């Protein structure tokens, strides 16, 4: 008789993010005294980019929202200028992912408006939008920008319609959307795009999840799961899966995972608790981490998601005594990579009129850049124009590195590269072997950059020593038009001037740093081309 010997092995799961923890900002680094809206609509009411925070406020006679500099922490002036052009309460706001000075808002007045924000923030109330989109017949509750095409906006309203807008249209008032999607029988509760924007997922009050072709409006998939009443739905990056949050038939809060190609049965369902607040899902495709935050809760759960069973692994949760009404998230390019920050929330704490930044940090001993937790991520440059997308083209996002000094999306670098006969990237992509012509192009690009160096130093010197001139004229000659402004008369204006100067100093320092990195890259390109030419 043969006895089979069985050995027991514990199942250890290797993960870089097992010990991720939440670190709330100190009181002086929060935004205090913000009159956050008292609307009961289930939205975030907050939008963030690396320059500004936009938050919907409570006001009388129409709708408004505040735009604050991310560096303007502490007590907020109760008379701070607002964006106040809507006739009804503002229901949703979203920054343009490719323009940090452009924000969209929708309102109970059945309109969507596009606003241009001055680069140094608001100095007075803004009431006239750049674009006014008037197509819906009832109040507009949701807006979403296309993730890879520039100037394409989606809006959803209480008329059960989703409208697709082309903002490249020359008219200031646009009354006819490019496409109207009329597949829903009730109010749309959430919208989410996949990575390249070729699929749009929606959750509806009729309890169905739909996957739609956003260009044609065709219904591709539909889920009607009786054991899960979906409220919010979210694409999980390139995993070809969706996550939905909602309630079970016993009214427990629940999350469900779906295969985007088959919505007949969820891959996974998990009950969380018996609370009543809506669960907001947030996903980071770079770390494959899912964050679930409840409206009215003080805690945020986070999971690690994979494409193989068991699909989701609970990590831990952040707990706070202060309940959140809504949340905004900072784009990856605005994170502090030196402190190993992989995600940042901005929690709206209504009971204290507070916006509290919350950083999710991977504990590492080294203070150097951690390349394994910061892969290439979506940049702030569109992959295509609106006309390209409407003509049938689909493209994934352009990627960028978060490593300090490696960002090349800079107006100075772009202007130099535009003047060069051929870029280094085109030389690398060339199918022919490197030759004299390509080498000459790279050398010419390098010489062009070196010839610009004295101008940068002269501009920096003139800014530091001669910025304040006679008659209250401030001249900043860093390749831009001089700014004409009067001397600050109030404390608020003085603060705005200070923030402008800080931003300008930071921008010039980044420009100098990026110039040095770029020169080194070009020198390396020349060396590589010479070596490869010698091999041939």
């Amino acid at each position: 008789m043969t006895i089979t010997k069985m050995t027991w092995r514990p199942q250890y799961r290797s993960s870089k993010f097992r010990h991720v923890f939440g670190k709330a900002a100190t009181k002086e680094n929060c935004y205090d005294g913000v009159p956050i809206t008292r609307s009961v609509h289930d939205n975030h009411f907050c939008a963030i980019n690396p320059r500004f925070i936009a938050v919907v406020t409570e006001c009388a006679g129409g709708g408004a929202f505040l735009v604050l500099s991310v560096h303007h922490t502490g007590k907020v002036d109760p008379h701070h200028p607002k964006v106040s052009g809507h006739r009804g309460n503002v229901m949703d706001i979203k920054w343009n992912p490719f323009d940090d000075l452009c924000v969209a808002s929708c309102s109970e007045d059945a309109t969507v408006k596009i606003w241009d924000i001055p680069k140094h923030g608001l100095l007075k109330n803004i009431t006239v939008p750049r674009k006014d989109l008037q197509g819906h017949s009832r109040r507009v509750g949701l807006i979403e920008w296309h993730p890879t095409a520039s100037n394409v906006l989606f809006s959803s309203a209480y008329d059960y319609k989703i409208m697709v807008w082309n903002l490249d249209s020359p008219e200031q008032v646009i009354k006819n959307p490019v496409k109207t999607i009329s597949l829903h029988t009730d109010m749309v509760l959430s919208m989410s795009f996949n990575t390249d924007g070729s699929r749009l997922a929606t959750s509806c009050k009729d309890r169905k999840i739909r996957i739609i072709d956003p260009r044609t409006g065709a219904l591709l998939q539909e889920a009607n799961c009786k054991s899960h009443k979906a409220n919010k739905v979210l694409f999980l990056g390139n995993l070809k899966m969706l996550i939905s949050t909602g309630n079970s038939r016993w009214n427990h809060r629940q999350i469900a995972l779906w295969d985007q190609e088959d919505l007949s049965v969820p891959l996974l369902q998990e009950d969380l608790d018996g609370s009543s607040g809506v669960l907001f899902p947030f996903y980071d495709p770079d770390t494959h981490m899912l964050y679930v935050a409840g409206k009215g809760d003080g805690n945020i759960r986070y999971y690690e998601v994979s494409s193989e069973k068991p699909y989701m692994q609970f990590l831990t949760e952040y707990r706070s005594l202060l309940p959140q009404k809504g949340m905004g998230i900072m784009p990856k390019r605005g994170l502090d990579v030196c402190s190993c920050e992989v995600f940042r929330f901005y929690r709206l704490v209504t009971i204290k009129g507070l916006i509290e930044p919350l950083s999710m940090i991977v504990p590492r001993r080294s203070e150097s850049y951690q390349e394994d937790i910061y892969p290439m991520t979506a940049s702030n440059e569109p992959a295509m124009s609106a006309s390209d997308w409407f003509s049938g083209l689909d493209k994934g996002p352009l990627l960028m590195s978060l490593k300090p000094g490696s960002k090349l999306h800079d107006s100075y670098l772009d202007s130099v590269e535009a003047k060069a006969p051929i870029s280094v990237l085109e030389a690398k992509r060339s199918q022919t072997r490197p030759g004299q012509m390509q080498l000459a192009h790279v050398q010419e690009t390098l010489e062009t950059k070196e010839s610009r160096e004295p101008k940068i130093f002269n501009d920096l010197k003139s800014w530091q020593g001669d910025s304040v001139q006679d008659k209250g004229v401030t001249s900043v000659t860093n390749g831009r038009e001089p700014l004409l402004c009067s001397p600050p008369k109030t404390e608020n204006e003085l603060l705005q001037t200070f923030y402008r100067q800080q931003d300008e100093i930071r921008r010039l320092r980044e420009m100098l740093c990026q110039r040095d990195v770029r020169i080194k890259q070009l020198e390396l390109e020349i060396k590589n081309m010479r070596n490869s030419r010698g091999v041939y």
Side-chain angles (χ1 to χ4, degrees), residues 392-456:
L393 192 64
D394 285 321
K395 281 186 180 180
L398 298 182
L399 301 180
M400 65 184 289
S401 171
L402 296 180
K403 189 172 184 178
S406 64
K407 301 177 192 176
L408 301 180
H409 298 295
D410 186 86
S411 57
Y412 161 69
L413 294 175
D414 291 343
S415 64
V416 172
E417 288 176 359
K419 293 177 183 179
I422 185 170
S423 70
V424 176
L425 289 176
E426 289 171 342
K428 288 170 68 177
R429 292 173 187 157
S430 176
Q431 298 299 317
T432 60
R433 65 185 178 89
Q436 291 284 353
M437 186 177 296
Q438 291 179 350
L439 185 59
H441 287 322
V442 177
Q443 287 175 331
E444 186 175 347
T445 306
L446 181 58
E447 289 168 3
T448 305
K449 291 184 180 298
E450 288 175 343
S451 67
R452 292 290 297 271
E453 286 180 37
K455 184 180 187 315
I456 294 176

Side-chain angles (χ1 to χ4, degrees), residues 44-57:
H44 299 309
F45 300 119
C46 185
I48 318 292
N49 70 27
R51 278 176 176 263
F52 297 113
I53 294 176
V55 57
V56 181
T57 62

Side-chain angles (χ1 to χ4, degrees), residues 404-416 449 452-460 463 476-480 503-519:
S406 64
K407 301 177 192 176
L408 301 180
H409 298 295
D410 186 86
S411 57
Y412 161 69
L413 294 175
D414 291 343
S415 64
V416 172
K449 291 184 180 298
R452 292 290 297 271
E453 286 180 37
K455 184 180 187 315
I456 294 176
F457 285 114
N458 291 336
D459 293 343
L460 182 60
W463 190 90
V476 182
T477 57
N478 50 16
R480 303 186 179 187
D503 289 341
E504 197 66 35
I505 292 171
R506 192 178 301 107
R507 196 184 71 81
L508 287 169
R509 283 175 178 166
E510 289 177 358
M511 184 184 294
L512 292 173
C513 178
Q514 291 170 1
R515 178 214 60 194
D516 293 337
V517 172
R518 189 62 176 159
I519 288 173

Side-chain angles (χ1 to χ4, degrees), residues 472-499:
V473 176
T474 304
S475 176
V476 182
T477 57
N478 50 16
R480 303 186 179 187
E481 292 295 325
L483 281 173
L484 299 176
C485 61
S486 57
K489 298 176 182 177
T490 64
E491 183 181 356
N492 188 31
E493 290 181 2
L494 188 61
L495 281 172
Q496 293 290 343
T497 305
F498 171 74
Y499 294 137

